[in-house]
Amino acid sequence: MSKSIGAELIVNPEKYYNISQLRTQFWNELKKKSFKLNRVKHGDAHEDQLKSEIASLTKNLKVIEQYWAFPGLDTFDYLNGCIKNEEYRNLYNTISEVTRLLISDGYRSNPFTSQQLISAKKSKRKSEAISAEKRRYFEVLMVDNLNDSEEAELKQKLFDIRDPKDKFIYQLVVVRTFEDALIALQFNHNIQACVVRYGIQFKSKHANGWLKQFITSIDQWDFSDRMESELAKLLGETIKEIRPELDTYYVTDTGIQLIPDSVMENFKRIFYRKEDLQELHLSIIQGLMDRYQTPFFSALKEYSKKPTGVFHAMPISRGNSIFKSNWIDDFGEFYGRNIFLAETSSTTGGLDSLLQPTGPLKKAQELAAQAFGSQHTFFVTNGTSTSNKIVLQALVEPGDIILIDRDCHKSHHYGMVLSGSTVAYLDSYPLEDFSMYGAVPLEVIKEKLWALKKANRLDKVKMLLLTNCTFDGLVYNVERVMEEILAIKPDMVFLWDEAWFGFAAFTHIYKQRTGMNVARRLAHKYSSDEYAIEYERHITKLGKDEIPLMPNPERVRIRVYATQSTHKTLSSMRQGSMIHIYDQDFKRKSEASFHEAYMTHTSTSPNYQILASLDAGRRQVSFEGFELVEKSIDLAMTLRAKINDHPKLKKYFKVLTVEDLIPKKFRLSGLTQYYDPRVGWSRLEGAWSTDEFVLDPTKINLHIGNTGVDGDTFKNQYLMDQFNIQINKTSRNSVLFMTNIGTTRSSVSYLLGVLLKISSQLDDKVRSMNPEELRIHQGKVHSLTNETPPLPDFSYFHDSFRAVPGVPGGDLREAYFLAYKEEYCEYLKLMECRKRMDEGRVIVSSSFVIPYPPGFPILVPGQVMTEDILNFFVALDVKEIHGYRPDLGLRIFNEKALNRQKASSAMGSAMSMGALGTNGKTSRSKSKRKTKTTK
């Protein structure tokens, strides 16, 4: 292969994380080469070399561009014609314009601009382009084995029947095979609808070429052994798996009676090829209209236009108390009039009640459920803290045992207090080098369940509550966790706190690790005949004492809840949150209690602007969620690579890798990092399919130990005070950056520039130090990189606060409210705690103690202080510790409280054992008497 730029790009594809990066690079290189060719004199020695390089680039780029409608493959015929006819000026102008429109997304408002340069029908295309400026542009994937003339004819027919008044405008992307369709769906975020022809072929000639590194995930859909007559049906099912938001249509010549039920279910509508294309066109437009609607946002806009007389309890409504004020009119000018026109407490006049929706709010929540793949979705206007409390109160009764990761958000801990549940805390694996915790290993969860089963308490276990993904980006293998836990406890309820993971539903790699997606897959799997047969085979192979590793399909119930901070990762106003539910027993067991809990925690005066933003944010991700999430991943990868590559940045900063944050035993794939300067990019797909934990690349933990500055100081004095860069989380020696759907290329460039400036400041600071100052600085660096305090596990609840002494599970509520009584509490300074512990006293916390960072409770009410916890407490060098007063010390229960609880606990145990046999099981005599009485 020649050593042209095009060839180099193909030889070294690992230089680019995704196809968008490579595509952009191709067009930029084409622009540079065509510029040089336009400047070169005819007959110059470089002319042929440049023409050869441009030909190589266009040949390779054409392979990519077949999966996009813009700029279209006919553009390349025009470019080749320019080269052949030595029209170098036209060549450069066309390439420059296409490159500009692609990079700026300008083609969306004027999608035919480049084609005007090459089409003989310029006048018609021009008028279409002008009218398209205010219309939403998208592309339709047509999967059909057409020849070139048939393709051109189809495009022209669909073009001719369009109505200039349509709200949307589209172009066709035509591919011939199953694999090409999958490639297009993974590459092209403009595709919003798919039309699949009966009888397509499977194999693409590009699937195993140099594109392979960007499409590794298509190997999981290998249907090369299937008949061509089956492939269209299978493609419809696959589209629903990887891009479920898309509208799909089926084109066939088969008789109605021969069309399989699965085709009817997976495609929105079926058309016959010889029938008028008008219906297909209208269906495509109507499909987008259905997804485009925002019922509540639209109703609120209409309400704001109505003249009303305000006689209810909101002076701010319509802006009346604002704009006529002599003193706060600037407040109105800052926010604008619309926000006040839409401010009301009315639930009529076209609006709706959040507590009992029947109109536009109900429809908005139904559309959200479709978008996120749930059975039911509920909007929440005061954050995921409230969403968590709603779910816990709805599902958990006093005495139910909840398995919960100790490092979860504080709202869950307080939810345990409100629900009166018995709390069994789970320990995450520690990351002591970075003063943070990882996630809870599946083996830890199962060990806790086996301990409870051994104590005959498994029937009391109600829920498993885990944070997915964690603040630091660790993501569970949700399917594996649920399957293995359901094999032990088939009616387990799962609450996945996805506060930082709401965006994950909109790209296939992420979606496979979300609660709703896995719930839907498992519900389908366990109800299938194939699984029932597989389960019977599994049972027959088990030895006498072996435990089934598969859930019993006759007993298993899929009950999954997910809470999401929509405002954290998607477009929503502050505190906009959603609760997603996939619960096969919701109607029968939980609906009434859920609505009671929802009304308990939901204001009767919800903020309508938040609700409208949730509705509009749903519309956004329905259309461009795939695109925006992919771009945020792209920017995160770019940021990782730039920091790892730059010699000046590497001196002080290190992006923590998969290997740094996930121990080897949890990484079956062997993946260690997403980018290595020596070898380039590693793909996500394999790890996200197999590993127990994976790392969300959009969470970028930057280790800053080599700066000699702790995380909190770096955040405040460097990032915020100097450069106005905001971040959410720090640890003792790291800071966390996150990319999201709002992150721009310019903001990533700005951050890189800031880190370079900070590096220069640190260089200057170190150079100016005298020997003693340098020794102190080096000591700080050593402390932050080598002397991190060991992270303590959750110890245990004091026996007086345990439901059953010696068995996992504590009564957090009892301890919490006992602390309200001052006569049962006292304060001890930390050094006094050590002295008392050495003397044999058991120190029991009476409050939550939460240092920031790391932001998780190191003590909860009723928990016993251990030497490890005390050592960690003493080693903490953070200023903010909730629940601890430096002037007084640690608030603990005194002996009077523990003795009181001990007596109460002993009485409860005696009563409990009176109802149980000596082995903890119901006594046979009482069981018989009960049975006899019942009869």
Side-chain angles (χ1 to χ4, degrees):
M1 186 174 289
S2 67
K3 295 184 178 180
S4 67
I5 295 296
E8 288 176 8
L9 290 171
I10 297 170
V11 169
N12 300 303
E14 66 274 6
K15 289 172 61 179
Y16 304 94
Y17 167 66
N18 60 22
I19 200 68
S20 294
Q21 291 181 351
L22 182 56
R23 186 190 188 202
T24 300
Q25 185 64 18
F26 265 127
W27 280 105
N28 282 324
E29 289 295 336
L30 263 178
K31 183 178 177 181
K32 293 177 185 177
K33 298 298 179 184
S34 63
F35 175 79
K36 291 180 180 179
L37 184 60
N38 183 47
R39 299 291 294 271
V40 77
K41 291 182 179 180
H42 185 62
D44 189 286
H46 296 295
E47 183 180 10
D48 287 342
Q49 174 66 20
L50 286 168
K51 288 168 68 175
S52 175
E53 290 176 346
I54 290 172
S56 177
L57 282 165
T58 53
K59 180 182 178 181
N60 291 327
L61 185 53
K62 193 172 181 179
V63 174
I64 299 174
E65 291 298 343
Q66 67 181 304
Y67 301 109
W68 276 270
F70 179 87
L73 296 183
D74 50 354
T75 301
F76 292 91
D77 295 334
Y78 176 74
L79 297 180
N80 290 331
C82 288
I83 296 174
K84 182 178 180 180
N85 299 323
E86 298 182 353
E87 297 173 355
Y88 300 149
R89 184 67 183 175
N90 288 342
L91 176 74
Y92 171 68
N93 287 342
T94 303
I95 292 173
S96 296
E97 181 67 1
V98 171
T99 304
R100 182 188 68 81
L101 290 169
L102 284 174
I103 292 175
S104 67
D105 283 341
Y107 68 93
R108 292 183 177 183
S109 60
N110 200 350
F112 299 111
T113 301
S114 71
Q115 293 181 343
Q116 291 173 36
L117 300 172
I118 62 177
S119 174
K121 301 179 180 180
K122 293 182 181 180
S123 59
K124 185 172 184 179
R125 290 289 175 97
K126 186 174 181 180
S127 62
E128 178 76 17
I130 291 172
S131 65
E133 287 182 2
K134 293 186 178 179
R135 297 158 76 184
R136 311 287 181 177
Y137 171 75
F138 67 101
E139 296 177 3
V140 174
L141 179 66
M142 176 75 72
V143 190
D144 197 346
N145 192 22
L146 302 172
N147 60 41
D148 291 345
S149 61
E150 288 173 330
E151 178 181 336
E153 182 183 2
L154 175 64
K155 288 180 176 179
Q156 186 62 48
K157 285 181 178 179
L158 282 172
F159 180 86
D160 290 339
I161 62 178
R162 295 175 187 173
D163 186 343
K165 297 178 183 178
D166 284 341
K167 199 178 189 72
F168 310 103
I169 187 168
Y170 63 88
Q171 295 196 82
L172 284 185
V173 179
V174 179
V175 297
R176 272 73 176 174
T177 71
F178 186 105
E179 286 190 327
D180 281 319
L182 293 189
I183 296 170
L185 290 168
Q186 292 184 67
F187 284 2
N188 188 348
H189 46 70
N190 288 325
I191 294 172
Q192 295 294 339
C194 301
V195 182
V196 183
R197 175 80 167 90
Y198 169 84
I200 58 175
Q201 296 179 349
F202 179 77
K203 200 69 179 173
S204 165
K205 62 182 179 181
H206 303 294
N208 291 313
W210 60 269
L211 285 181
K212 180 68 176 178
Q213 92 156 66
F214 303 107
I215 53 173
T216 55
S217 62
I218 72 168
D219 291 341
Q220 63 186 291
W221 295 290
D222 183 2
F223 299 121
S224 55
D225 59 340
R226 299 297 188 94
M227 296 175 60
E228 287 186 3
S229 58
E230 296 181 82
L231 291 178
K233 173 182 74 73
L234 292 169
L235 181 56
E237 294 172 359
T238 306
I239 292 170
K240 290 302 178 188
E241 187 174 344
I242 61 175
R243 296 281 299 275
E245 74 277 11
L246 303 186
D247 299 316
T248 55
Y249 304 94
Y250 187 72
V251 179
T252 185
D253 296 325
T254 305
I256 296 175
Q257 69 278 9
L258 298 177
I259 298 175
D261 291 345
S262 57
V263 171
M264 301 280 193
E265 293 171 1
N266 285 299
F267 289 91
K268 191 166 186 176
R269 189 169 172 183
I270 297 173
F271 295 96
Y272 284 82
R273 192 173 190 179
K274 294 181 180 179
E275 292 181 358
D276 191 359
L277 288 175
Q278 180 77 26
E279 287 301 310
L280 174 60
H281 166 74
L282 292 175
S283 296
I284 290 170
I285 296 298
Q286 185 58 51
L288 259 72
M289 284 297 299
D290 292 342
R291 290 159 56 200
Y292 188 78
Q293 62 178 308
T294 47
F296 186 74
F297 176 46
S298 298
L300 194 60
K301 286 194 295 183
E302 288 303 312
Y303 176 87
S304 70
K305 298 175 184 177
K306 296 178 180 178
T308 59
V310 180
F311 294 96
H312 58 76
M314 287 191 69
I316 203 173
S317 180
R318 318 297 292 180
N320 291 339
S321 67
I322 303 295
F323 292 104
K324 67 180 183 180
S325 170
N326 292 321
W327 298 97
I328 63 169
D329 53 319
D330 57 332
F331 180 71
E333 291 168 1
F334 177 77
Y335 280 104
R337 191 170 291 272
N338 278 348
I339 194 169
F340 301 106
L341 289 172
E343 189 59 83
T344 180
S345 62
S346 175
T347 58
T348 57
L351 298 178
D352 205 352
S353 167
L354 179 60
L355 292 174
Q356 195 170 359
T358 57
L361 257 177
K362 184 174 186 290
K363 180 63 176 174
Q365 291 181 146
E366 289 170 351
L367 288 170
Q370 292 175 27
F372 288 88
S374 65
Q375 293 175 324
H376 312 279
T377 289
F378 294 87
F379 290 172
V380 179
T381 59
N382 37 352
T384 304
S385 294
T386 293
S387 298
N388 293 334
K389 293 168 191 171
I390 289 171
V391 175
L392 288 169
Q393 183 172 321
L395 297 173
V396 178
E397 301 175 44
D400 285 344
I401 298 174
I402 310 300
L403 274 59
I404 173 175
D405 62 299
R406 188 271 307 260
D407 319 316
C408 65
H409 190 265
K410 67 178 183 180
S411 60
H412 293 298
H413 299 283
Y414 289 113
M416 299 298 153
V417 172
L418 293 173
S419 67
S421 59
T422 300
V423 183
Y425 282 117
L426 304 167
D427 287 314
S428 302
Y429 63 83
L431 296 165
E432 293 179 347
D433 289 344
F434 314 116
S435 296
M436 64 178 74
Y437 283 92
V440 181
L442 179 55
E443 200 57 39
V444 170
I445 304 171
K446 291 167 71 174
E447 285 173 1
K448 193 77 69 172
L449 280 175
W450 290 127
L452 289 162
K453 183 174 183 178
K454 186 176 180 182
N456 296 306
R457 299 275 291 166
L458 190 60
D459 62 311
K460 287 287 187 182
V461 177
K462 183 68 171 285
M463 176 186 286
L464 172 63
L465 195 166
L466 296 171
T467 304
N468 190 49
C469 68
T470 71
F471 213 151
D472 296 295
L474 295 169
V475 183
Y476 287 85
N477 189 328
V478 174
E479 185 165 355
R480 181 182 170 194
V481 169
M482 288 176 58
E483 289 215 271
E484 295 198 23
I485 297 305
L486 288 170
I488 302 170
K489 175 76 174 169
D491 60 345
M492 180 74 87
V493 180
F494 296 88
L495 171 52
W496 295 99
D497 183 339
E498 296 180 352
W500 296 96
F501 213 45
F503 67 95
F506 302 99
T507 184
H508 176 68
I509 295 174
Y510 277 65
K511 181 172 56 185
Q512 62 188 331
R513 290 189 175 233
T514 63
M516 291 300 101
N517 184 260
V518 172
R520 185 174 294 276
R521 287 212 311 269
L522 291 185
H524 176 75
K525 176 180 178 178
Y526 295 150
S527 63
S528 68
D529 294 336
E530 292 83 0
Y531 180 80
I533 295 170
E534 185 182 358
Y535 177 76
E536 286 301 321
R537 289 174 182 162
H538 174 67
I539 293 298
T540 56
K541 291 179 181 178
L542 292 178
K544 182 179 179 181
D545 297 322
E546 287 187 278
I547 300 166
L549 299 177
M550 296 173 63
N552 185 337
E554 295 181 359
R555 296 182 57 206
V556 70
R557 304 298 293 167
I558 303 300
R559 307 192 65 194
V560 184
Y561 292 72
T563 54
Q564 291 177 351
S565 294
T566 314
H567 68 100
K568 284 187 170 74
T569 62
L570 299 175
S571 295
S572 166
M573 287 187 176
R574 186 77 167 170
Q575 294 202 6
S577 177
M578 295 187 192
I579 300 171
H580 303 297
I581 301 171
Y582 196 105
D583 185 350
Q584 292 178 324
D585 291 335
F586 184 70
K587 291 285 185 184
R588 186 165 62 92
K589 291 185 176 181
S590 305
E591 186 174 32
S593 60
F594 182 88
H595 285 296
E596 287 292 341
Y598 190 76
M599 288 189 283
T600 298
H601 293 279
T602 300
S603 170
T604 55
S605 301
N607 186 299
Y608 277 6
Q609 281 70 39
I610 296 176
L611 293 173
S613 72
L614 289 169
D615 194 13
R618 186 276 315 157
R619 179 215 277 172
Q620 180 184 37
V621 292
S622 294
F623 284 99
E624 56 184 349
F626 172 69
E627 172 188 0
L628 295 175
V629 173
E630 287 291 322
K631 284 184 176 179
S632 71
I633 298 171
D634 184 0
L635 290 173
M637 293 298 194
T638 300
L639 185 57
R640 289 170 178 272
K642 293 294 185 183
I643 295 173
N644 286 342
D645 276 344
H646 202 291
K648 191 171 182 178
L649 295 179
K650 287 192 294 185
K651 181 178 180 180
Y652 292 108
F653 307 117
K654 178 196 175 186
V655 176
L656 297 186
T657 65
V658 176
E659 187 176 30
D660 291 323
L661 296 174
I662 304 174
K664 184 177 181 179
K665 63 180 178 180
F666 301 126
R667 291 182 282 110
L668 181 64
S669 69
L671 180 69
T672 58
Q673 54 191 329
Y674 292 133
Y675 176 79
D676 187 318
R678 297 165 298 176
V679 297
W681 295 103
S682 298
R683 302 301 302 172
L684 303 177
E685 289 86 342
W688 282 65
S689 297
T690 62
D691 292 359
E692 181 166 348
F693 302 109
V694 291
L695 178 64
D696 172 10
T698 67
K699 312 294 189 298
I700 302 154
N701 262 297
L702 194 67
H703 186 260
I704 59 169
N706 287 330
T707 66
V709 181
D710 67 85
D712 194 53
T713 303
F714 191 86
K715 168 188 172 182
N716 293 315
Q717 295 185 14
Y718 285 85
L719 295 176
M720 192 62 199
D721 291 351
Q722 292 190 52
F723 301 104
N724 292 317
I725 287 181
Q726 301 174 18
I727 61 172
N728 287 100
K729 178 185 176 291
T730 66
S731 78
R732 185 169 179 267
N733 55 16
S734 71
V735 292
L736 179 70
F737 298 102
M738 291 182 284
T739 60
N740 55 49
I741 66 169
T743 305
T744 62
R745 285 173 293 185
S746 62
S747 60
V748 171
S749 298
Y750 178 62
L751 175 57
L752 289 167
V754 165
L755 293 177
L756 284 169
K757 290 172 184 172
I758 292 173
S759 298
S760 296
Q761 289 181 19
L762 293 169
D763 282 341
D764 293 342
K765 183 179 178 180
V766 171
R767 278 194 295 265
S768 67
M769 289 178 179
N770 60 41
E772 181 60 21
E773 289 172 330
L774 184 60
R775 185 189 65 79
I776 294 172
H777 170 73
Q778 290 172 343
K780 290 179 180 178
V781 171
H782 180 79
S783 175
L784 290 170
T785 55
N786 297 293
E787 295 180 343
T788 52
L791 297 171
D793 285 338
F794 179 82
S795 54
Y796 57 95
F797 283 101
H798 189 268
D799 275 350
S800 58
F801 296 110
R802 290 196 188 193
V804 176
V807 178
D811 192 339
L812 193 61
R813 179 187 180 94
E814 178 69 21
Y816 180 87
F817 284 109
L818 185 66
Y820 277 32
K821 298 177 174 61
E822 286 296 327
E823 66 269 24
Y824 290 134
C825 298
E826 63 178 285
Y827 287 92
L828 275 184
K829 293 291 183 93
L830 292 185
M831 290 303 102
E832 187 67 17
C833 285
R834 189 181 300 280
K835 179 181 176 182
R836 298 293 180 88
M837 289 168 65
D838 290 342
E839 293 171 355
R841 179 176 173 182
V842 177
I843 306 295
V844 181
S845 176
S846 65
S847 61
F848 289 100
V849 179
I850 308 174
Y852 284 86
F856 58 82
I858 58 174
L859 287 169
V860 303
Q863 181 184 348
V864 174
M865 169 79 83
T866 63
E867 186 175 353
D868 286 344
I869 295 172
L870 183 59
N871 290 339
F872 179 77
F873 209 154
V874 172
L876 280 174
D877 52 5
V878 299
K879 301 178 180 68
E880 187 178 352
I881 305 177
H882 297 180
Y884 172 73
R885 292 183 57 179
D887 56 333
L888 296 176
L890 184 69
R891 193 166 187 259
I892 65 170
F893 286 116
N894 57 28
E895 294 293 340
K896 179 181 177 182
L898 298 180
N899 290 335
R900 173 185 179 279
Q901 287 301 105
K902 198 177 295 183
S904 173
S905 193
M907 184 180 296
S909 296
M911 293 176 65
S912 175
M913 292 304 293
L916 299 175
T918 55
N919 61 356
K921 297 180 180 178
T922 305
S923 65
R924 188 171 298 174
S925 60
K926 288 196 175 184
S927 177
K928 286 182 178 179
R929 282 200 299 272
K930 185 174 182 181
T931 305
K932 189 172 183 179
T933 303
T934 303
K935 289 181 180 178

